[in-house]
Amino acid sequence: MIKKYTAAYIVSFAVLLISIWCGVSIGSVSIPLTTLWDDSDAAAYSILWNIRMPRVLLAALVGASLAIAGAAFQGLLKNPLADPYTLGISSGASVGAVFTIFFSVSLPFIGAFSLPLFSMIGAIITLIAVLSFAKIVDRSLKMETLILTGVIFSSFLSACISLMIALTGEELRSIIGWLLGSVSMRGWSHVRLILPFVIAGGLILWLYRRELNALVYGEERAKYLGVDVRRSKMFILVAGSVLTGAAVAVSGTIGFVGLVVPHMVRMVIGPDHRHLLVISFLNGASLLVICDLVSRTIIAPTELPIGVITAFIGAPVFAYIFLKQRKGRMS
Amino acid sequence: MLKVENISGGYGGVPIVKNVSFKVEKGKILGILGPNGSGKTTLLKCISGSVSPLEGEVHIEERNMKTYSTKDLAKKMAVLPQLHANGFSSTVYDAVSLGRYPYQTGFFSSWSEADEQAVVSAMIQTDILKYRDTQMEFLSGGEQQRVFIAQALAQSSQILLLDEPTNHLDIAHQKQILDLIRKEATECGVTVVSIFHDINLASLYCDDLLLLENGMVKAYGPPHEVVLQEQISTVYDAQVSTYAHPEMPKPQITMMPSEQAVRQETVTAEHIQILPAYIQLKTDKALKVISSAVHNPGMGWYDTLLNRSIAPDIDLAHVKEEARQFLQEQQFSSTNTVMMLTAVQTNLAAIRSFSHETCSIVVMVTAGVGNAVDATRTFERDDLPHIGTINTWVIINGKLTDEAFYQAMITATEAKTKALAEQQIRDSHTGTIATGTATDSLLIAATQYGEEMPYAGPITAVGKLIGQGVFETTLTAIERYKQSKINEKG
């Protein structure tokens, strides 16, 4: 058992390093490994450190955030289809972000951090609204109920975003690009913007790994096992929203990462959150780095939004999980 | 250990459980009984703290439960709620080790030797160690239930609250789990409160029972004070009958299907057939029988009565086995037949019907009085029993209470003894008047149809018939026996 987890950690870490390296070296200009420390080729050095590295790291952080948040939501809600995107939380964060960008809101003292802050607020409000509504519909929070509620809220929030865009009369293309999710044209400032939230959110979720294991058996049983259910739920939901909000603030809505990664990891190592969270975090990072690489190379010189690639992978996986769950219940 | 005082609780301010109080001492098991919707689960949730009581208090070891933190409470009290499906399937080992959650502290893993030991021993006790690395989803409902019981045991708490722990289990595993819980209580001093659906199981395993009706305590006390026919029938609104457990001093209940009483034909002397090898009575519907026969003695329901004639030199040590073989060869249903043995030829039997206005009986007697004894003087002799018996059947067309059955046996025995005196049958050792033989058998059977006869003592209507009938029929049988002996010699 221990060996299985050790191997999973080593492989995940190695994959992440390789992905990052591929991410920074492959592109319109091919950059060798030595450029990392050798600045003799000033142009290559500059591309690597000023353009590709922040972009790749940003992709990694966004992927990691969405994946660990997805893993936590799935455990907490006992629902394998839950992730920030399917629950509508990403849309909520987008509303917060779009609101901040298009109305140029900047709060005193926190300045640039206004964007992720409003995203997070959007995320948390949406999460609370979705969960409350779903609970009114069906107290047991069935899988379908939750996802349908997510769809309802996503549609509504997307309409809000469209309305805001229409009202501001901006040029649409870049906004749609942002909505589909992208990590292009971002720099170190974005990395700095998201990093503290990724660390804080990830750490909180990791601290609640044992509680998540208990919560998988339902809140009542978790309470009997000694879990402070109210507090655990609050921290897990807030941490998940913080991670989602931060990710959306820098990259827009990138779907399905939070769904696909934990699912795959669970298939390999099982549902123990003590490992599931960390390994999802690592692999979420790798997946998004690779998706970003594909999105900017597959039809180069044109760049695809990264959300297109993740949706291409994610939607079939979503369909597969749904089918499997349904069949499991029938038999 | 656990004290519940005047607790009331429910959902949304509406009390479902009203003013319930009880106390469970260390190492005792309290069973909560009650019909569906009587508030059993709500009561358990009030005790476990998952529903906060509207009124009243729960004390654990003289301390108000509210003063415990969630983690400390989990160390004191483990709860097994009803089984629910869960989304993700972990391994059995991971599920059981969650029971150690309250003992985990700190940032990193603090899994200790004690934790591991508690988990493994809980898995051994519930017989799930073989599923250690199996995914929960591949287990049956019963096996999953055992995993959750193991999880509760791994919590190593002194109080165990269980909501129908044997739900989904077959009887082998019901017994295994309940034996285990009983053992935990008796040997490890674990205090148990458990909801039971099955009144009989509750009666067997609990020290005290609490019967709920509409959220209120209807009865509380040891099983023999709670499991009462009238009370259970009223509370559950179902006709039941109580009876004693065959091996334990615990009352049991059984359901009484509300089917219409089927008309039983009246048994007359003509129904009894005399064949060379045996005397037989076959009825359409089973008779309720109480007897001291060789095959199927005691009380039961049988549709065939046999009085078999056998050689006098039969091996009495293997008589039961021989009887079974005989029934099989003659194609009688072993479980539906009562059989007596006699050395007397079947054609010497006396069979007569007796009737009175309200009831009628049939008496069959075969009387071998060669070895008659005086029961008041048998302490003077030490010979082994041998064949040579008076076999008596009394078949009553009517419905008898258990009490009436026993009185009928007394009445019949007294009448038989009087017949022996009348015939001057003497104990060959003492020369005194014999009371019977060393191996007499008596059978009282009733059709159990018609109006109930509560008593069958000598001055009741049926008792009069039995007294007269057995006396006269036995006289006839003894005379025939004597006559046959004279014929043999002559």
Side-chain angles (χ1 to χ4, degrees):
Chain A
M1 291 301 265
I2 304 296
K3 268 188 193 156
K4 179 177 82 178
Y5 291 125
T6 315
Y9 281 112
I10 293 169
V11 170
S12 304
F13 205 72
V15 168
L16 178 59
L17 287 181
I18 295 165
S19 313
I20 291 175
W21 173 247
C22 291
V24 294
S25 73
I26 300 171
S28 50
V29 182
S30 196
I31 294 169
L33 187 64
T34 51
T35 319
L36 270 176
W37 54 87
D38 175 17
D39 61 356
S40 56
D41 183 349
Y45 189 81
S46 169
I47 289 172
L48 192 155
W49 281 112
N50 295 332
I51 297 171
R52 288 200 190 154
M53 192 56 101
R55 176 178 180 147
V56 164
L57 287 183
L58 193 68
L61 289 173
V62 167
S65 305
L66 294 175
I68 195 172
F73 285 142
Q74 287 167 19
L76 184 67
L77 302 170
K78 299 178 286 175
N79 186 336
L81 292 182
D83 95 323
Y85 187 71
T86 56
L87 290 178
I89 306 167
S90 294
S91 303
S94 301
V95 172
V98 171
F99 177 83
T100 321
I101 295 166
F102 288 98
F103 295 97
S104 307
V105 183
S106 181
L107 294 177
F109 306 116
I110 53 169
F113 283 104
S114 301
L115 179 66
L117 184 74
F118 276 95
S119 290
M120 284 165 208
I121 291 169
I124 291 171
I125 292 171
T126 315
L127 179 60
I128 292 168
V130 167
L131 290 182
S132 326
F133 183 79
K135 221 162 205 166
I136 293 168
V137 175
D138 156 26
R139 271 197 68 82
S140 66
L141 280 185
K142 272 206 251 342
M143 194 168 76
E144 298 89 323
T145 314
L146 208 52
I147 302 308
L148 278 176
T149 312
V151 170
I152 294 168
F153 277 79
S154 289
S155 314
F156 181 77
L157 295 169
S158 301
C160 292
I161 295 168
S162 303
L163 183 69
M164 270 192 274
I165 294 167
L167 289 178
T168 51
E170 287 279 335
E171 200 256 316
L172 282 175
R173 194 181 156 80
S174 69
I175 299 143
I176 289 167
W178 184 84
L179 279 178
L180 284 172
S182 170
V183 283
S184 64
M185 309 306 285
R186 308 290 200 272
W188 286 109
S189 64
H190 287 92
V191 175
R192 277 195 294 275
L193 202 61
I194 185 177
L195 190 63
F197 299 107
V198 176
I199 292 171
L203 197 65
I204 292 170
L205 290 183
W206 186 74
L207 285 176
Y208 281 92
R209 62 201 184 282
R210 295 187 201 118
E211 284 76 4
L212 275 167
N213 277 345
L215 282 162
V216 164
Y217 291 94
E219 288 180 19
E220 195 188 3
R221 219 177 265 268
K223 185 189 144 49
Y224 295 148
L225 288 167
V227 175
D228 187 337
V229 173
R230 276 179 67 93
R231 206 181 71 175
S232 307
K233 254 171 80 175
M234 195 185 80
F235 273 99
I236 293 165
L237 290 175
V238 167
S241 304
V242 163
L243 288 164
T244 309
V248 168
V250 295
S251 66
T253 49
I254 298 176
F256 297 115
V257 181
L259 177 90
V260 174
V261 176
H263 181 71
M264 297 291 181
V265 174
R266 215 180 275 114
M267 286 212 299
V268 177
I269 66 156
D272 186 342
H273 288 85
R274 285 174 296 182
H275 308 288
L276 178 68
L277 291 175
V278 182
I279 294 176
S280 294
F281 186 89
L282 294 174
N283 286 294
S286 306
L287 178 71
L288 216 60
V289 170
I290 294 165
C291 284
D292 180 49
L293 176 63
V294 173
S295 75
R296 67 186 162 84
T297 52
I298 192 161
I299 50 165
T302 314
E303 260 191 40
L304 272 176
I306 191 168
V308 173
I309 309 289
T310 58
F312 260 118
I313 305 168
V317 173
F318 184 89
Y320 168 76
I321 302 171
F322 188 47
L323 195 70
K324 206 181 126 201
Q325 291 287 326
R326 259 308 165 91
K327 282 200 162 171
R329 221 179 300 166
M330 297 290 189
S331 60
Chain B
M1 187 70 201
L2 179 69
K3 200 162 82 185
V4 173
E5 280 176 346
N6 306 98
I7 211 160
S8 297
Y11 309 96
V14 184
I16 290 172
V17 170
K18 294 156 212 152
N19 201 25
V20 173
S21 302
F22 61 82
K23 212 165 82 179
V24 196
E25 301 293 342
K26 189 173 162 63
K28 298 289 178 196
I29 303 180
L30 174 80
I32 299 175
L33 290 173
N36 290 340
S38 59
K40 300 188 295 287
T41 299
T42 311
L43 174 60
L44 201 77
K45 284 185 175 178
C46 283
I47 307 168
S48 68
S50 84
V51 167
S52 16
L54 300 165
E55 271 171 60
E57 283 173 0
V58 178
H59 290 271
I60 295 171
E61 284 181 328
E62 308 295 317
R63 204 179 125 189
N64 194 327
M65 198 179 82
K66 283 181 194 152
T67 62
Y68 287 91
S69 74
T70 320
K71 253 189 182 180
D72 287 339
L73 193 61
K75 288 182 193 172
K76 285 275 172 220
M77 185 160 83
V79 187
L80 181 79
Q82 276 173 17
L83 197 59
H84 291 297
N86 44 282
F88 302 107
S89 187
S90 59
T91 65
V92 167
Y93 175 83
D94 284 346
V96 177
S97 43
L98 264 181
R100 301 303 292 175
Y101 171 84
Y103 301 90
Q104 305 304 305
T105 47
F107 268 35
F108 292 95
S109 171
S110 59
W111 194 253
S112 71
E113 198 60 37
D115 291 325
E116 184 67 26
Q117 217 163 15
V119 169
V120 172
S121 98
M123 286 199 288
I124 292 170
Q125 281 174 300
T126 47
D127 190 24
I128 52 165
L129 196 60
K130 57 188 170 220
Y131 304 128
R132 192 192 153 101
D133 295 321
T134 310
Q135 301 285 314
M136 289 281 283
E137 63 178 318
F138 298 126
L139 299 181
S140 70
E143 287 159 347
Q144 288 190 14
Q145 182 71 328
R146 275 149 67 203
V147 173
F148 288 119
I149 290 170
Q151 191 183 65
L153 289 179
Q155 243 169 291
S156 312
S157 42
Q158 292 137 306
I159 299 174
L160 210 50
L161 303 185
L162 310 162
D163 194 345
E164 292 188 42
T166 55
N167 218 350
H168 301 283
L169 301 184
D170 59 29
I171 53 166
H173 285 115
Q174 282 186 359
K175 180 172 146 30
Q176 185 193 18
I177 292 301
L178 292 172
D179 281 347
L180 171 67
I181 290 166
R182 181 77 256 183
K183 193 173 143 219
E184 285 288 313
T186 314
E187 289 177 15
C188 312
V190 173
T191 306
V192 182
V193 176
S194 177
I195 292 176
F196 281 92
H197 222 76
D198 188 320
I199 299 167
N200 288 336
L201 284 181
S203 171
L204 281 177
Y205 283 95
C206 298
D207 298 293
D208 282 314
L209 295 176
L210 183 91
L211 179 63
L212 284 180
E213 186 182 29
N214 299 324
M216 285 179 287
V217 178
K218 173 79 182 178
Y220 170 45
H224 61 88
E225 286 176 13
V226 175
V227 182
L228 305 175
Q229 190 160 320
E230 281 292 300
Q231 188 158 266
I232 299 291
S233 293
T234 320
V235 171
Y236 282 84
D237 194 19
Q239 200 56 45
V240 299
S241 184
T242 49
Y243 62 98
H245 189 275
E247 303 293 334
M248 291 176 71
K250 303 278 191 178
Q252 298 285 286
I253 65 146
T254 183
M255 262 188 276
M256 304 289 280
S258 52
E259 93 185 30
Q260 288 292 309
V262 185
R263 192 181 172 83
Q264 169 74 273
E265 59 173 334
T266 306
V267 178
T268 63
E270 286 69 46
H271 286 102
I272 301 183
Q273 287 173 276
I274 302 178
L275 300 164
Y278 50 82
I279 297 165
Q280 164 187 298
L281 171 64
K282 261 195 148 155
T283 53
D284 289 347
K285 297 276 178 284
L287 301 168
K288 190 172 185 184
V289 177
I290 183 164
S291 80
S292 58
V294 169
H295 184 73
N296 279 332
M299 195 175 253
W301 292 79
Y302 305 98
D303 66 5
T304 307
L305 310 180
L306 295 179
N307 185 24
R308 184 181 159 211
S309 182
I310 49 164
D313 55 352
I314 188 174
D315 177 10
L316 282 174
H318 298 104
V319 72
K320 293 239 171 203
E321 186 49 39
E322 205 274 336
R324 241 192 304 277
Q325 262 176 24
F326 168 80
L327 291 172
Q328 208 170 5
E329 281 162 19
Q330 300 288 321
Q331 301 193 322
F332 284 110
S333 159
S334 161
T335 49
N336 228 342
T337 304
V338 176
M339 183 166 72
M340 290 181 177
L341 299 180
T342 178
V344 179
Q345 290 161 348
T346 56
N347 57 10
L348 299 180
I351 302 171
R352 287 179 61 185
S353 297
F354 297 87
S355 67
H356 181 68
E357 288 157 9
T358 51
C359 63
S360 64
I361 67 167
V362 178
V363 181
M364 188 290 306
V365 179
T366 54
V369 291
N371 296 306
V373 296
D374 177 355
T376 62
R377 301 285 292 274
T378 43
F379 64 90
E380 293 172 13
R381 52 197 285 172
D382 52 3
D383 50 342
L384 293 166
H386 32 72
I387 289 279
T389 63
I390 303 172
N391 283 353
T392 310
W393 292 358
V394 179
I395 296 109
I396 299 160
N397 289 304
K399 187 173 181 183
L400 266 63
T401 60
D402 282 5
E403 201 174 348
F405 266 99
Y406 294 117
Q407 287 167 343
M409 290 197 91
I410 299 170
T411 309
T413 306
E414 287 164 354
K416 175 197 74 179
T417 303
K418 195 66 193 290
L420 264 72
E422 182 79 13
Q423 283 287 329
Q424 289 292 310
I425 305 296
R426 288 179 185 276
D427 184 321
S428 57
H429 271 66
T430 59
T432 52
I433 297 285
T435 54
T437 74
T439 50
D440 280 0
S441 237
L442 175 60
L443 175 151
I444 308 288
T447 53
Q448 294 304 87
Y449 180 78
E451 207 169 313
E452 191 171 77
M453 303 178 207
Y455 310 109
I459 59 159
T460 59
V462 65
K464 286 172 185 169
L465 283 181
I466 294 169
Q468 184 204 358
V470 172
F471 178 70
E472 289 179 10
T473 314
T474 310
L475 283 184
T476 315
I478 294 173
E479 277 161 10
R480 285 185 186 174
Y481 176 78
K482 280 180 173 171
Q483 193 59 44
S484 80
K485 287 292 167 195
I486 293 165
N487 293 349
E488 269 175 38
K489 280 173 192 160

